[in-house]
Amino acid sequence: SKDRVYNDALELIEYVTLANYEKRKDMKVTYQIKALGKINKLDFYLERAYKLKYISEKQLLSKADELGKINKMIYAWCNNEG
């Protein structure tokens, strides 16, 4: 549902923000991993929405590209911290 997608998107923002301000390395990594998990979940929702014809292929590709960019940024962030 829209609420689930909206809430997961907000949690993604929350995890990125918490990781950004967290001083302890282990907690920072935990938040980063949770953020990556939320991206995967949102990507799954996009695929389902497309398959159920709630969104167009153009919308799917656009949003999937945006999520891919965020995913790459968080992976790069994780690698630079280690």
Side-chain angles (χ1 to χ4, degrees):
S1 75
K2 284 184 183 179
D3 289 341
R4 195 178 307 167
V5 173
Y6 182 75
N7 288 336
D8 281 337
L10 286 178
E11 286 179 7
L12 169 59
I13 295 167
E14 179 183 5
Y15 291 143
V16 169
T17 303
L18 288 169
N20 192 44
Y21 289 104
E22 182 58 58
K23 299 294 182 210
R24 293 173 298 171
K25 174 78 171 152
D26 61 329
M27 286 304 299
K28 180 182 285 255
V29 170
T30 298
Y31 291 133
Q32 289 169 330
I33 290 169
K34 286 183 176 190
L36 291 168
K38 288 296 173 182
I39 291 170
N40 288 336
K41 204 170 178 184
L42 289 168
D43 190 51
F44 171 78
Y45 292 150
L46 277 176
E47 289 289 335
R48 293 277 304 152
Y50 173 68
K51 286 180 182 173
L52 295 171
K53 307 224 184 290
Y54 294 137
I55 62 173
S56 69
E57 184 177 8
K58 182 178 179 181
Q59 290 171 311
L60 168 67
L61 295 174
S62 171
K63 299 305 175 195
D65 183 56
E66 291 172 16
L67 280 177
K69 288 176 185 174
I70 295 168
N71 203 35
K72 284 181 186 176
M73 285 188 262
I74 294 175
Y75 269 112
W77 182 21
C78 292
N79 291 334
N80 286 336
E81 302 269 328

